[in-house]
Amino acid sequence: CNWKFGSPECGVDLASVTVTGTVQEISGDLKTLTLSGRTEPEGYYVDGVLTIGGESRHVMASNGMIVTVDYPFASVEVGQSYTLRRGCNKTYDESCVGRFDNGHRFGGFLSVPTSD
């Protein structure tokens, strides 16, 4: 899909897929965090963005309150506020239809023909 996630062409309302809260626990590697108020199922925030104190990281795994990001936060403390937004991996079946029921606005090719 060529659309920017949340753009008018995409049609997903980013505010509706964004949550906030506070950091409750931080792993030693600064990549796995426990976040308040999260009860969503495993994988719900994968491909999303976690922002804390002006730093944003790509979400690699999530399961309820536990979120793992791709790169350690430089500065994060228990009690800080966070913003967590779902993401899209730009695939038709998994993200566009499976996560957001938005297949009618998919901006890519479902398949690419090849010559035999």
Side-chain angles (χ1 to χ4, degrees), residues 39-56:
T39 59
E40 294 84 3
E42 184 174 357
Y44 190 81
Y45 288 102
V46 170
D47 299 318
V49 177
L50 175 61
T51 303
I52 302 170
E55 293 181 67
S56 295

Side-chain angles (χ1 to χ4, degrees), residues 51-92:
T51 303
I52 302 170
E55 293 181 67
S56 295
R57 300 292 185 264
H58 182 82
V59 176
M60 304 303 291
S62 70
N63 192 357
M65 295 173 45
I66 309 298
V67 174
T68 302
V69 296
D70 61 342
Y71 188 75
F73 283 93
S75 176
V76 62
E77 296 178 9
V78 170
Q80 273 187 291
S81 297
Y82 71 81
T83 301
L84 180 60
R85 187 194 75 207
R86 288 189 83 185
C88 175
N89 67 8
K90 299 191 174 273
T91 60
Y92 180 78

Side-chain angles (χ1 to χ4, degrees), residues 99-114:
R99 292 182 196 174
F100 301 104
D101 192 24
N102 197 33
H104 64 285
R105 297 189 90 152
F106 185 67
F109 296 99
L110 297 180
S111 63
V112 178
T114 60

